[in-house]
Amino acid sequence: MPTVTSSRPVWLTALALFLGLAFALGASGYDQYFNTPGLETGDTGINALQIDNAGRFQELYGNYSRFEFNHPGPAFFYVYAAGEALFHHVLGLCPTPGAAHLLTSMLVQAFFYALALAVLAANLRSRAFLPLALLAGAWHFGRISAAVAPSPGPFMSIWPPWVLLMPALCFLVASVSVAGGRAQDLVIATVAGGFLFHGHVAQPLFVGTLAGLALLVWYRRERPGTWRDFLRVHRRELRLSAVLAVLFMLPLAIDVATLGTRSNVATILGRFYTNTNDRSGSKSLGESAEYFLTFATKVTNQEKLFPQPDPENLDAPIPPSRALETLREQYPILALWAAILVLPPLVAWRERSGVEAEERRFLALGYLFLAAAFGACLLWGLAQAGLMHHFNGLFYYAVYYFALLLAVGLAARFLERVANPAVLAALCAIAGVLFTWSFRLPRLSPGGNGEAVQAGVEAALKADTSGRPKLLVFEHRDWPTVAGVALALQRRGIPYFVNPYWEYMFGQAHDQTRLGTAPEEKASLWWITPAEPGDKAFDSPQNVLVGIHQQPAPINPQEYRMEFKEGQNGFRHLVSGLTLGNKDHASTVLPRLAFVFQTETAARDVRVTFDAGAAVTRKDTPAAQPAEVLFNGESVGRIVAGERADLTVTIPRDLWNRSSRGKLELRFPDSQPVRPLRRPRYEIWPAWDLWSIGFHYADGK
C-alpha cells in the first residue's frame, strides 16, 4: 500500500466531494438561493456594502467588529463579489445580489470542507474513510444547525463568525499533512490560512501557532543538510505559497501605507493595547476551558454563563458562573466526546501492528496538532474582550470535528474489512440525504427579506428629486434598517453620508464630515425614525415601525421638548454632531451641533432650555465648555456648560417667525479633538452631554 507521503493528488477527490455537497446543500436552500427577492439589511447589509466595494476593487477591510474596527482583510468579500457577478449578473441564476452572496458563501464552505476531507483521505488511504467522515459531518454539523435554529448555521450562513468554520478545519488538516511530509498541501494550508487571517483579528493566533508547528515538524522530518537544501527541494511549493501570502497581506500594506496611524491596522493595535491594559473583563484559565467545553454541547448562550464585572461599576458583585452547573447537566454528550478523544489513541496503540508506520505517524501528528489547537483555543478564551459570546468561538466546532475525524480514520480501517463498495456507496448516499435534510433554509417572509425597506427607499427617491447626496440621520437602535437603505442607495449609484461614528461599518467614504461643516447645505436630509401616518413603514429592531422622513418635524414654540433618550424624538430633528447609541443622553462628536425643524408661529419670544453638562472624556478636558447658539444663522447667545444644569437662551419672536424652517446650531469653540486609542481613524470633539432641549414662551404664559 502506498505511504501517506505519496504524491496522490487530492483535487479529483475534492472535486467529487464538492459537487456532491454543492448539490445536497443547494437543494437545502433552493428557495433562498434561486427564488427569493429582497434586500439585505443588518449585518448582511453592511457586508453587502463592502462586497459592492470589492466588486469595484475598492475594498481593503474585512467585516466590522463590534469593538469598532474592521477585521484584517476582504478575501471573503472579493469571492462573494465574484459570485455575484457570475450567478446574478452573468448567469441570472440568483434573483438578487444577496442571494448570489449566500450561494457563493455555501460553495466556499463546501469547497474548504471537501478539501479537508480529500487531504485526510490522501493520508489515511482507507476506502471507508470518506463515507464515515461524511456521516460524522452530517451528525456533528447537523447537531449544531439544530441548536442554532431557526438561524442558519454551518454551511448555510454568510454571517462572518460562521464562515471561518470550514477554512479552520481545512487549515488544521492541511497543516498536519504538511508536517507529515506532503509538501503539495502547503498551498492549501496557505489559502485556508489566508482566509482565516482576513476573517477575524484572533485568527493570527491560530494560523501562526499551527503554521509554525507544521513548518518546524516538516523541516525536522526532512532532515535536510541545510535550510538552503530544504528551500531548493521544495522551491515550487514554497514560492507559490509565498506569493499567495503576499497577496493576502497586500490590503494591509496598502492600508498602512496610505493611512499610517489612522489605518485599520493601527486601530486594531490600539484596541489590542486597550484590551491588555483593561483587566475589568479578564477571564481565568478555568473559565476559558469551560467555555471551550460548552461547544461540545448544545449550549448557545455562553455570555449568560460567564458574567463579567460591570465596567461602569467595578465594585458591584459579580454573579456566580453557571458554566460548571451547565456542563454537569450535559454529562452524556461530554462523556461521548471524552470517549472520542481518548479511546481511539488507546486502540491505535494496542493495534499498532495492524497500522502502517507512516499512518501511525500521521495520526500521532494529528493528535499533536489537536493538542496545539486546544491550547490556542484556551489562549483565545483568555484574550477575549467583553462577554464570552457563542459566536466568539464558532470555529471551535472545527476543532471538535477534527478530533472526530481522527477517530473515524481509525474506525475506517476496521470497517473496510467487512464493507464492500455497495455498502460504502450506500453510506455516502445516506450522508447526502442527511446533509440535505439537516441544513434546510426556511422561506423568508416579505417582512424578513428586506422588500419593505426597498419599497420605502423607492418611494423616498420618487419624492426626493433634488439629485443631491443623502444624509442619513438615525439612532443606534435602527442601524440594521439603515444598512438596507444605504445598500439600496449605493446599488443605484446615489451617494449617502452618515455620522462619523459609523465609518467603521459604512466606510470612511461615507463620513458626513466630507461634506464640510454644514452637511445639510450639500445633501438631502433623510431621517430614518419611527413611522408617521402615510409612511412606507418597515420593521426595525425591537419591533418598531420606522419610515424615511424628508421634511423636518414641527415644533410648537409654546411647549415642546426634544429628548435624547433611546427611542425619543430628538433624532427626528438632528442634523449632525451627536452620538447615536445612548440610553439616557447624547454626547457631541463634532465641534458643531445642528437641528432643524418646522417653526409654528410664535406669539412671543421663545426661550430654549438645554439640559446639559460638560462632557468629561479624559483628564485634560476643560471643566467648562462654552457654546455659541445660533438660530437661522444669527447669534442668540452664549452659554457655558459645567455640571449638569439648565442653560437658556431666548430667540426673539421676529427671528423665530421670519422663516417656516428653523435651524438651531451650537458651536463649541473650546472643544478639543480626541482620538481614542482603540479608534484612531477619526477624531471626536467632546464638549457637551445633552439630555433634552425644551421650547417655551419666554414669559412663561
Side-chain angles (χ1 to χ4, degrees), residues 398-613:
V399 178
Y400 277 95
Y401 183 58
F402 181 65
L404 184 56
L405 287 176
L406 293 178
V408 165
L410 290 167
R413 297 196 60 84
F414 299 101
L415 177 64
E416 71 176 356
R417 299 173 186 173
V418 296
N420 58 40
V423 172
L424 299 180
L427 293 177
C428 288
I430 293 171
V433 171
L434 291 175
F435 269 96
T436 304
W437 177 258
S438 299
F439 302 103
R440 305 182 305 282
L441 284 177
R443 174 183 286 271
L444 292 177
S445 66
N449 64 9
E451 284 188 282
V453 178
Q454 189 158 290
V457 173
E458 291 171 357
L461 287 173
K462 288 180 181 179
D464 182 356
T465 59
S466 66
R468 300 202 302 175
K470 314 307 174 194
L471 178 58
L472 308 182
V473 182
F474 56 97
E475 63 174 307
H476 188 282
R477 178 194 62 189
D478 297 324
W479 75 261
T481 298
V482 178
V485 174
L487 180 61
L489 292 172
Q490 183 164 307
R491 285 178 175 162
R492 289 169 171 81
I494 300 172
Y496 70 90
F497 294 89
V498 295
N499 187 300
Y501 171 87
W502 292 106
E503 61 90 14
Y504 74 101
M505 290 177 65
F506 291 88
Q508 298 177 44
H510 302 286
D511 182 340
Q512 66 173 243
T513 59
R514 291 174 177 265
L515 294 172
T517 57
E520 70 277 8
E521 296 177 1
K522 298 181 180 179
S524 298
L525 283 160
W526 281 20
W527 289 275
I528 303 168
T529 56
E532 297 173 357
D535 287 339
K536 286 279 188 180
F538 32 84
D539 285 328
S540 186
Q542 301 178 358
N543 297 317
V544 176
L545 284 176
V546 300
I548 299 172
H549 314 294
Q550 298 173 351
Q551 296 299 323
I555 279 184
N556 179 354
Q558 187 171 357
E559 186 176 358
Y560 189 84
R561 183 169 294 275
M562 295 183 196
E563 298 280 356
F564 298 100
K565 296 178 182 178
E566 182 180 49
Q568 298 300 313
N569 64 345
F571 297 103
R572 181 65 176 82
H573 301 281
L574 177 69
V575 173
S576 64
L578 286 181
T579 55
L580 304 173
N582 302 282
K583 298 290 185 182
D584 182 57
H585 66 278
S587 302
T588 59
V589 291
L590 294 172
R592 171 187 181 262
L593 174 58
F595 306 91
V596 295
F597 40 84
Q598 296 178 39
T599 56
E600 298 182 4
T601 302
R604 292 178 287 279
D605 293 346
V606 179
R607 178 166 293 174
V608 183
T609 302
F610 301 89
D611 181 2

Side-chain angles (χ1 to χ4, degrees), residues 24-225:
L25 296 172
S28 296
Y30 183 87
D31 188 69
Q32 285 200 32
Y33 297 142
F34 306 114
N35 281 336
T36 303
L39 176 73
E40 304 94 307
T41 58
D43 285 336
T44 308
I46 295 296
N47 289 343
L49 290 169
Q50 294 188 262
I51 294 167
D52 188 72
N53 294 338
R56 291 177 277 111
F57 298 97
Q58 294 177 355
E59 186 57 66
L60 290 178
Y61 304 135
N63 58 286
Y64 81 92
S65 165
R66 70 190 189 281
F67 293 111
E68 301 165 6
F69 58 81
N70 293 90
H71 290 290
F76 285 100
F77 293 149
Y78 277 93
V79 173
Y80 300 154
E84 176 186 333
L86 177 63
F87 297 125
H88 176 62
H89 298 295
V90 176
L91 298 179
L93 293 175
C94 300
T96 64
H101 303 160
L102 189 62
L103 176 62
T104 305
S105 178
M106 181 273 286
L107 294 176
V108 168
Q109 297 300 299
F111 169 76
F112 280 115
Y113 182 62
L115 265 183
L117 294 189
V119 169
L120 275 173
N123 281 282
L124 297 175
R125 310 303 298 274
S126 168
R127 292 178 304 168
F129 171 74
L130 286 177
L132 289 182
L134 289 169
L135 285 171
W139 171 77
H140 177 62
F141 296 119
R143 286 180 63 253
I144 299 167
S145 183
V148 300
S151 300
F155 295 105
M156 313 302 281
S157 177
I158 197 171
W159 193 37
W162 274 122
V163 301
L164 300 175
L165 183 52
M166 299 307 163
L169 173 66
C170 186
F171 178 73
L172 181 53
V173 169
S175 296
V176 178
S177 186
V178 170
R182 280 181 55 91
Q184 61 268 47
D185 293 337
L186 180 63
V187 174
I188 296 174
T190 303
V191 172
F195 274 85
L196 289 175
F197 177 77
H198 274 217
H200 196 278
V201 71
Q203 288 303 314
L205 168 65
F206 294 86
V207 173
T209 299
L210 298 179
L213 180 61
L215 292 173
L216 177 63
V217 174
W218 180 29
Y219 177 78
R220 291 181 62 85
R221 185 181 186 281
E222 296 267 327
R223 293 191 178 91

Side-chain angles (χ1 to χ4, degrees), residues 66 281-292 294-295 299-308 321 323 377-393 396:
R66 70 190 189 281
S282 61
K283 285 82 179 171
S284 68
L285 184 62
E287 286 177 321
S288 181
E290 292 164 3
Y291 176 74
F292 178 77
T294 61
F295 285 85
V299 172
T300 59
N301 63 338
Q302 281 85 348
E303 72 281 357
K304 296 182 180 179
L305 303 181
F306 301 95
Q308 297 294 316
S321 171
C377 289
L378 291 179
L379 291 176
W380 168 229
L382 291 172
Q384 286 181 37
L387 295 174
M388 302 177 81
H389 291 278
H390 183 233
F391 58 78
N392 288 348
Y396 286 7

